[in-house]
Amino acid sequence: MCGIIVAASASTCGSGLLDDMQRSLEKLRHRGPDGSGALVSSEEGGIMVSLGHTLLSIVGDNATQPITCSTKNRKYHLVHNGEVYNHRELRERILAEKWCSCTDFEAGSDSEVLLACLAHKGVDWTLENVRGMFAFVLVEIQGDSLVKIIMSRDPFGIKPLCYAISQGNVIISSEISAFPEDVLSLTVSDVLPSRSIELLLVAGEWILREQSYFDPIISSSICGEYSDNDICSTIQKALIDAVRIRMPATKVNMGVLLSCGLD
């Protein structure tokens, strides 16, 4: 469990939001007691973007965020809460296909892998191939100009993410409690599970583009195509794979949650 806070301002009245970053990080300290980090970027046209993160270290020894990645003509800033279960497999694929070098994974964190996928393969490919529980905010910059901000949650909404927009300002966080007091009077919305939202700044106003990347609904007619043994075997394989991919390769304590009862 980590904490995310991002503020972007396209107007002078938004400078107060950015000044509140440290106070917001303190309010998120309970979500990430192992460290914190912040980054403030001033872009062309007076746009300011500030990203903050509080860390609960699970994967990687030095996984302080925000983290940054550059491609040939773009720069990306990321804050991420959660865990990418298949980060080791994705890292091997990245290095084998030479999207970037091994020096881009110095901390050994799953967030580095997530950022590499987003920067080199795009949001759609990443959300299709990443397995995990997550909430993230990605800031994309070209030259000195802000291109867009992308925020997304995992398919089942395990990790929280909410946002508010007003007067050319946007603020995004893991918790409403981290919002500055003057923001609490605004309409606060949740990023829904299995959704990604793209924020574009047009003529001083934020335009939202929302899309769903996962549909858990399975047609009942499919079940009639398989025998009971086939269904049981498929469920067993899926369960074993789900447990396997969640087993960490790090020196952290593990536990098992069991639920039972008498009817």
Side-chain angles (χ1 to χ4, degrees):
M1 182 175 71
C2 299
I4 291 173
I5 181 76
V6 176
S9 172
S11 62
T12 55
C13 65
S15 59
L17 290 179
L18 305 177
D19 293 338
D20 285 333
M21 175 59 66
Q22 197 58 44
R23 286 190 289 272
S24 295
L25 285 174
E26 286 300 323
K27 293 177 181 178
L28 291 172
R29 185 74 60 188
H30 63 284
R31 298 186 64 89
D34 296 328
S36 64
L39 181 151
V40 178
S41 177
S42 180
E43 309 306 331
E44 189 176 280
I47 302 171
M48 296 188 69
V49 182
S50 182
L51 302 91
H53 183 269
T54 58
L55 172 69
L56 177 64
S57 182
I58 300 294
V59 180
D61 297 326
N62 184 25
T64 303
Q65 299 183 42
I67 54 177
T68 299
C69 172
S70 296
T71 60
K72 289 183 178 179
N73 60 351
R74 300 285 172 102
K75 180 183 289 186
Y76 301 86
H77 303 304
L78 175 75
V79 282
H80 163 230
N81 170 32
E83 184 177 354
V84 177
Y85 300 138
N86 61 333
H87 68 96
R88 290 184 291 272
E89 292 88 343
L90 288 172
R91 182 185 290 109
E92 290 175 1
R93 180 173 179 179
I94 290 169
L95 295 176
E97 297 181 7
K98 299 181 180 179
W99 305 353
C100 51
S101 69
C102 59
T103 57
D104 293 316
F105 304 121
E106 291 181 348
S109 74
D110 55 338
S111 298
E112 292 173 317
V113 175
L114 176 62
L115 179 56
C117 291
L118 290 166
H120 294 277
K121 286 294 187 179
V123 175
D124 292 343
W125 187 95
T126 299
L127 293 175
E128 182 179 342
N129 287 274
V130 162
R131 296 178 63 182
M133 53 176 181
F134 56 81
F136 69 80
V137 180
L138 179 75
V139 176
E140 182 177 337
I141 297 169
Q142 183 175 23
D144 294 324
S145 300
L146 174 68
V147 177
K148 57 189 171 184
I149 297 174
I150 297 171
M151 46 186 172
S152 185
R153 287 177 73 189
D154 60 76
F156 298 102
I158 300 172
K159 296 301 179 183
L161 197 62
C162 53
Y163 65 96
I165 300 175
S166 177
Q167 298 180 345
N169 304 313
V170 59
I171 186 162
I172 309 164
S173 183
S174 301
E175 296 182 6
I176 296 177
S177 63
F179 284 14
E181 291 184 3
D182 57 337
V183 175
L184 295 178
S185 60
L186 304 176
T187 299
V188 178
S189 303
D190 285 317
V191 178
L192 297 178
S194 75
R195 298 291 201 278
S196 66
I197 297 177
E198 185 179 274
L199 289 168
L200 302 171
L201 189 62
V202 180
E205 296 293 330
W206 292 99
I207 306 299
L208 276 71
R209 296 177 180 174
E210 182 176 3
Q211 68 175 13
S212 173
Y213 64 88
F214 176 77
D215 185 359
I217 298 176
I218 301 175
S219 173
S220 58
S221 62
I222 296 177
C223 296
E225 300 175 7
Y226 300 94
S227 68
D228 290 347
N229 287 337
D230 289 338
I231 293 174
C232 290
S233 177
T234 300
I235 292 174
Q236 182 183 39
K237 289 178 181 178
L239 182 59
I240 291 173
D241 182 57
V243 173
R244 177 194 62 79
I245 202 169
R246 285 162 173 78
M247 296 292 285
T250 56
K251 298 178 181 178
V252 296
N253 294 326
M254 292 180 288
V256 176
L257 298 178
L258 300 176
S259 177
C260 62
L262 298 176
D263 295 326

